[in-house]
């Protein structure tokens, strides 16, 4: 069997395990480490090591084995945790991630980095415990294949404890009965060959429905199960101890006769015990992690933290992400491109339904009553289908927020600041494509808050604040948008300093600028308030990129700040870029779509509310507020459009925190539209964010209100300049 086809599964699961490992390490209380968290960290390393050995990733296997040994000593109290030791574990986790990426790219990991991390881990063991770790590790010679070495791991304490196989003197030697359920002959023979890598096959028996292999091996049950579950489904595999003194040769598929006692670690790691109705497994409440449970943990240990422990929050999160808890049917891995394909097809279905709906609406209702009813039902079902498919692409914001505890911890230590990170609304869902694109802007905002926003402990204490700063990341739904905030309780923005810096950079300013406009200055290219350039910030690049990236996602960014109290950066994004609710507007003979999330109200302009300003600018007074007027026909060169403002309809829209009055000929109505990328299918068009297909088959452009305002101003300035040019020439003559 060519197991290379299972590489991607291993890579994905290893990435998840590394993420869990980092999260638990960051949540550990070094003074009173929680045993369950230590066990979870150990299990993650143990699982990665087993998979790496199976696929011949020797460097990854050896590095993980060294880390696993140290973690095993830690959870048994032989290695006392300190912050610098946790830092070393995090460094090892980063190295494992780099090695995993190298194998994913079909390359060998960096040998120098490998030697360096191995030396670091071995030296840590010598310094703290006076012990050598990992010299007998499988994969100790990375050039050799991992499979032959997999079977010789007698010295590793975790393997002995977790195998659940004993020859009576405490060693890990023994027999296992491995049952393959519902495997065809050809695949079964290849699986048996794979099992032969773990030891000597004593006996083979059974048929296609249940084929049993008796294996003499020193490899643990977890490792064999971990390897085989990369190849077959968990429900197609059963492994039980066979031939041990206590087992007495049990029948495969059931618990051993006179099975393990309540305190026997085998009860927690045996796959057979996980699949059986054993009382110990049921009472433990740990069925979601039974296959990978800690070897040293008894079933009586509850999976909860003591009251008041900081680790409790992390444990709740761990419980919320069961691994193969209820079997394979609990979740399924699907490539994103397949989901995208389904969404595109649903979009086409929505367009087709709109076409049919328009056709039916033009028919005589008395003659096509049944057809009208059928179309109404189709419309409801199509919308339900669209919402269900879109929900598949939605992922919780925890996918984004989970990356920041490590960043905040490392950067705060580098800046010599005390910072507490608080996350809120982790369960708020956002389109996966947007979560991946929002990570970089959020990273820059977090770094800015740590470097520029939160003061040093001494300054905070002098200002009457706690020495520990507070950085809050939050997410919540707001209508059809998601609101993401980065909030710190630092010194806030200094208005005078920003204006002075803008003037020195040649950025146009005015003394009567509102605070909101002054805060927006930090998004100017090359703008930085840092007194000196560091490797964290100060070069004036980043914030302008943050703004452009957020605008490219159809969102906008706002800043609120109070000097001495802190700064809040608010990002408003659409929930998805695939389908949006829009308002159809007509300008001349052209139909356009305005995103409904940008529309505030619409009204009929009065002549006394329209004011001409210098430079051909026009504003409209709306309840004591003067809004820039954008004539859509002028900005987009639409022919046969209404040019008299009082005969138009003014649609009040909001973009980038500012409001505008768009002049259009008519409002058609509200409808849901499928977003089509205009740049992919044509090219970038100023004032337009995307396109859609209407019910009659025609293409309508989706307007970008902020870009439309910029385009309108540019055209007015050009027209003003062209009118002044002949006069200038005349004066010159």
């Amino acid at each position: 069997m060519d197991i290379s086809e299972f590489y991607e599964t291993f890579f994905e699961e290893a990435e998840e395990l590394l993420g869990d490992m980092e999260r638990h390490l960051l949540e550990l209380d070094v003074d009173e480490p929680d045993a369950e968290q230590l066990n979870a960290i150990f299990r993650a390393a143990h699982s990665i090591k087993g998979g790496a050995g199976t696929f011949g990733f020797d460097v990854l296997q050896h590095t993980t084995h060294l880390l696993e040994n140290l973690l095993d000593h830690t959870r048994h109290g032989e290695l006392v945790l300190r912050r610098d030791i946790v830092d070393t574990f995090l460094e090892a986790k980063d190295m494992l991630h780099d090695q995993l990426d190298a194998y994913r790219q079909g390359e060998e990991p960096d040998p120098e980095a490998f030697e360096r991390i191995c030396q670091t881990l071995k030296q840590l063991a010598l310094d703290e415990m006076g012990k050598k770790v990992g010299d007998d590790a499988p994969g100790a010679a990375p050039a050799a294949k991992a499979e032959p070495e997999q079977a010789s791991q007698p010295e590793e304490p975790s393997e002995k404890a977790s195998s659940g196989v004993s020859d009576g003197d405490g060693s890990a030697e023994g027999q296992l009965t491995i049952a393959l359920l519902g495997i065809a002959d050809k695949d079964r023979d290849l699986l048996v060959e794979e099992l032969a890598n773990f030891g000597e096959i004593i006996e083979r028996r059974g048929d296609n429905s249940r084929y049993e292999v008796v294996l003499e091996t020193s490899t643990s049950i977890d490792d064999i199960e971990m390897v085989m579950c990369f190849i077959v489904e968990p429900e197609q595999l059963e492994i039980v101890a066979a031939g041990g003194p206590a087992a007495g040769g049990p029948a495969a598929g059931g618990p051993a006769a006179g099975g393990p006692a309540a305190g026997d670690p085998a009860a927690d790691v045996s796959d057979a015990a996980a699949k059986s109705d054993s009382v110990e497994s049921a009472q433990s409440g740990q069925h979601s992690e039974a296959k990978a449970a800690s070897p040293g943990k008894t079933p009586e240990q509850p999976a909860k933290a003591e009251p008041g422990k900081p680790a409790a929050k992390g444990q709740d999160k761990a419980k919320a992400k069961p691994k193969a808890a209820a079997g394979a049917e609990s979740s399924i891995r699907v490539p994103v491109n397949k989901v995208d394909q389904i969404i595109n097809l649903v979009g086409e279905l929505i367009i087709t339904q709109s076409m049919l709906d328009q056709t039916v609406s033009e028919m005589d209702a008395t003659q096509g009553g049944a057809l009208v009813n059928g179309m109404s039902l189709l419309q409801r079902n199509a919308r339900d289908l669209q919402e269900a498919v879109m929900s598949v692409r939605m992922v919780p914001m925890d996918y984004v927020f989970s990356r920041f505890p490590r960043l905040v911890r490392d950067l705060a230590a580098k800046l010599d600041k005390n910072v507490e990170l608080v996350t809120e609304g982790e369960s708020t869902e956002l389109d996966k494509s947007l979560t991946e694109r929002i990570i970089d802007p959020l990273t820059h905002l977090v770094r800015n808050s740590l470097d520029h926003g939160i003061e040093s402990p001494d300054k905070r204490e002098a200002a009457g604040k706690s020495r520990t700063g507070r950085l809050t990341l939050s997410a919540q739904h707001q209508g059809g948008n998601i609101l993401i905030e980065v909030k710190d309780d630092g010194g806030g923005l200094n208005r005078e300093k920003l204006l002075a810096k803008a003037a020195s950079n040649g950025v146009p300013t005015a003394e009567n600028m509102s605070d909101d406009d002054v805060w927006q200055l930090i998004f100017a290219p090359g703008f930085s308030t840092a007194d000196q350039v560091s490797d964290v910030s100060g070069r004036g690049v980043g914030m302008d990129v943050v703004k452009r990236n957020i605008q490219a996602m159809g969102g906008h960014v706002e800043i609120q700040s109070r000097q001495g109290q802190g700064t809040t950066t608010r990002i408003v994004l659409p929930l998805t870029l695939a389908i949006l609710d829009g308002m159809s507007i007509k300008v001349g003979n052209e139909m356009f779509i305005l995103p409904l999330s940008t529309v505030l109200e619409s009204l009929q302009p009065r002549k006394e509310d329209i004011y001409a300003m210098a430079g051909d600018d026009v504003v409209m007074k709306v309840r004591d507020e003067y809004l820039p007027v954008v004539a859509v026909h002028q900005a987009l060169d639409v022919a046969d459009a209404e040019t008299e403002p009082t005969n138009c309809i003014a649609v009040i829209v909001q973009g980038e925190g500012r409001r505008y009055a768009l002049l259009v000929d008519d409002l058609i109505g509200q409808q849901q539209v499928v977003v089509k990328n205009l740049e992919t299918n044509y090219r970038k068009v100023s004032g337009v964010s995307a396109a859609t297909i209407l019910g009659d088959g025609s293409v309508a452009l989706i307007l970008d209100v902020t870009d439309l305002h910029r385009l309108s101003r540019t055209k007015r300035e050009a027209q003003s300049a062209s009118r002044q040019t002949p006069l200038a020439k005349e004066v010159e003559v």
Side-chain angles (χ1 to χ4, degrees), residues 7-63:
Y7 280 2
E8 194 57 37
T9 301
F10 167 71
F11 292 141
E12 290 178 2
E13 294 192 359
E15 286 279 6
E16 291 180 5
L17 290 168
L18 287 175
D20 291 343
M21 184 189 297
E22 179 178 271
R23 177 166 52 82
H24 286 303
L25 283 170
L26 292 173
E27 292 172 354
L28 269 180
D29 180 357
V30 292
D31 297 323
E32 296 181 29
D34 182 74
E36 181 56 32
Q37 282 193 311
L38 291 175
N39 287 334
I41 298 167
F42 172 83
R43 290 195 297 269
H46 186 68
S47 300
I48 294 171
K49 186 193 76 172
T54 305
F55 295 111
F57 301 147
D58 304 327
V59 172
L60 179 63
Q61 183 193 15
H62 184 58
T63 308

Side-chain angles (χ1 to χ4, degrees), residues 668-689:
I668 304 303
Q670 179 181 336
Q671 66 183 102
Q672 195 172 56
V673 297
V674 179
V675 179
K676 299 291 184 181
N677 191 306
L678 198 59
E679 292 184 56
T680 302
N681 298 288
Y682 179 51
R683 64 178 175 83
K684 173 65 178 173
V685 178
S686 298
V688 174
S689 62

Side-chain angles (χ1 to χ4, degrees), residues 366-437:
T366 59
Q367 297 179 353
L371 183 58
V372 171
N373 292 336
M375 282 305 304
S376 177
L377 180 61
L378 174 62
Q379 185 176 12
R380 289 198 302 271
N381 290 340
R383 188 177 183 92
D384 290 344
L385 175 63
Q386 170 253 314
E387 290 177 354
V389 172
M390 289 304 302
S391 68
V392 175
R393 283 257 312 223
M394 307 299 276
V395 296
M397 282 299 295
D398 185 53
Y399 173 84
V400 177
F401 288 169
S402 62
R403 300 166 185 258
F404 291 103
R406 175 74 183 280
L407 172 67
V408 171
R409 180 183 190 273
D410 293 349
L411 192 54
K414 188 174 187 177
L415 297 171
D416 198 21
K417 296 180 179 180
N418 301 329
V419 181
E420 175 193 9
L421 175 66
V422 178
T423 56
E424 300 171 353
E426 299 97 325
S427 60
T428 306
E429 292 188 329
L430 182 65
D431 192 295
K432 179 173 173 59
S433 63
L434 291 177
T435 59
E436 293 169 347
R437 293 166 61 182

